[in-house]
Amino acid sequence: MKKILIIEDEEIMLDLIRRKMTSEGYEVIVARDGEEGLRLIKEGQPDLILLDLIMPKKDGFSVMAEVQKDEVSKKIPIIIVSNSGQPVELSRAKELGARDWLVKTEFDPRELVEKVRNILSEPIS
Amino acid sequence: MATKEENQLSLLLDDLTALEEYIHDLFNFSPLPICFVSPVGVILEVNPAMEKVSGFKMDEIVGEPLEKVFKKEEIGSLARETIREGFVDGKELRFFPKGGEEVVVQVFTRTRKDEKGEVVGYFLSLFDLTGIKKTEAELKRIQTALLNILEDTEEARRKAEEEKDKTQAIITNFTDALFFFDKDHRLALMNPRAEIFFKIKKEKVIGESINRLYELPELRALIKFLGEGIEEVSRKEFPLTEDFILEVSVISMKRDSVDLGDLVVLHDVSREKMVEKLKTEFVSLSAHQLRTPLSAIKWSLMMILDGDLGVINKGQKDILEKTYQSNERMIALINDLLNLARIEEGKYALSLAPADIVKICQSIVDLSEESFKNKGIKLRFNKPAKKTIQVLVDEEKLKLVIQNLLDNAFKYTFKNGRVSLSLKEIDKGVRIEVKDTGMGIVGKEQKRVFSKFFRTNEAVLVEPAGSGLGLYMARNIIEGHGGEIGFISKVGQGTTFYFSLPKEKIAKA
């Protein structure tokens, strides 16, 4: 069973994504801020990370920047799940190794599942 | 043999003859009219100058009384005075030449006596004053004229002074800062407001050249902004400091196509800019804040609808689907507000990069095709002759514009209608057209379609959702690219929106 780490500070979104992913048959672990997220990336060894950007303690960009420094962690694919989607943010996230980007108001849970499936079905490099 | 006395006498006689000839020559030569007059006033001899002035030949005047050429009453006293005093020195009398008009002359006389001291007559000489009198009169006339001119000039000067005082008062009390550069680009004038704005005394800068002014830290930014040539600009924003924003206009002053110089007007717009910024920040912040709960609602509804949270019945599903649509409209509105705030803030000013405009159009057509098909509208993309056309644009923003125009065509065109997107290369750049066979825009509302938050009554009836921001943003973006946007519309027949992007913005392929 593939393991997904959700890093999201908004409780209802966290709950919704967790339910969706669980019902799709994934194992889910969650973190409610950037610091906790970083800890779980190392300890939980997820196969994929769903990352919010604006969060307390450490924002999504800082999380990505730290993940980049770790040879093991940096191989884990990251999908940004954010309320914002400005071009400057998008290009910065790509530089920091984000695999995909999803603006919450423009996508729905089904599309998120599709993106996750696509990435996880790729052969591991 | 002549005696010694005879010899001496002969020599003396020779001398006398020579002297007589000398005097005669002198008398004849003298340019002054002279005559010799007997004690009773009969002219005995005249010189050629007198003949000339009087107009009488010698034989006409010699032997005649002085009254022939003078007035009797004037000449009588002259004769008496001469006999009594021995001379008259420059008496003004009227003189009457032959057949001519009287002239005023100055008369000089001197008596001549014989060896016994008896007066045998007197010399009378004239000095013609006509010329002088004429000159004098002329001078007087000129003087009067000059005085008149002076008076006029004084009047004009006074008026000019008044006018100048008025102008000066206006310039001094003007609430905008003013600089005037003369045609050699030297600072000729600045008002107190300009001194306050730039914290510099005018004594320090008046008369200085642009280059010299550039060296002053107080004025450097302004001079840099104006440029060496001081080009004309109209209401261009010039932030002096972060919270002190001026609007600059440069007016080239000309009279009868003669360059007088340039007037620089600086208007303080800090307050307006601050209010604008606050408003933008408020919109941006609230839009972000509003988006978060809307996402939560969207995702919740979607999952309930998908049955992820248990089976729902048809009634529940219908209601939730409508709720979902309402929420989508809310999201669209917030997105428009967010985009607008971003554009107005200018914080995401255009980031130009080379892009293929054909590809941009194609990608939008591809995205829109399905919804057009579903509504029963034919969508066509009229491609240009060239396969690719490179342009220098902000791709993200430009897509927003094209998408927006297509969305409008989609919304306001009915089933079985046609919509086309055309891309053409024109000599100035490229022109893009979105043409529909839709409902059209009512004439009286046409001039407002680019206004912020404006929607026509008809548009609201057909499509209740909509922020009225799409075209406002489109115009901002196109004008930001240096292009033009416009439309032609006829009610019931359709609307064509078009815009151009200028050539200088087009990168060489």
Side-chain angles (χ1 to χ4, degrees), chain A residues 10 12-13 16-17 19-20 23 81 83-88 102-110 112, chain B residues 288 291-296 298-300 302-303 306 308-309 324 328 331 335 338 342 347-348 396:
Chain A
E10 204 195 340
I12 180 159
M13 277 315 271
L16 289 168
I17 299 171
R19 277 171 192 267
K20 189 73 185 175
S23 73
V81 184
N83 263 317
S84 176
Q86 294 170 25
V88 273
L102 185 148
V103 178
K104 290 171 194 169
T105 50
E106 287 168 23
F107 291 87
D108 60 38
R110 252 184 282 166
L112 174 61
Chain B
H288 268 294
R291 227 153 57 161
T292 305
L294 289 177
S295 316
K298 177 187 170 100
W299 285 49
S300 304
M302 202 37 146
M303 281 177 65
D306 279 357
D308 287 339
L309 304 167
Y324 185 84
E328 284 296 292
I331 288 169
N335 282 347
L338 242 185
R342 272 198 265 158
K347 112 174 142 189
Y348 294 93
E396 203 70 36

Side-chain angles (χ1 to χ4, degrees), chain B residues 103-115:
Chain B
V103 290
V104 178
V105 293
Q106 218 172 6
V107 180
F108 298 81
T109 59
R110 182 161 289 275
T111 51
R112 203 177 157 220
K113 298 174 179 171
D114 62 11
E115 51 273 35

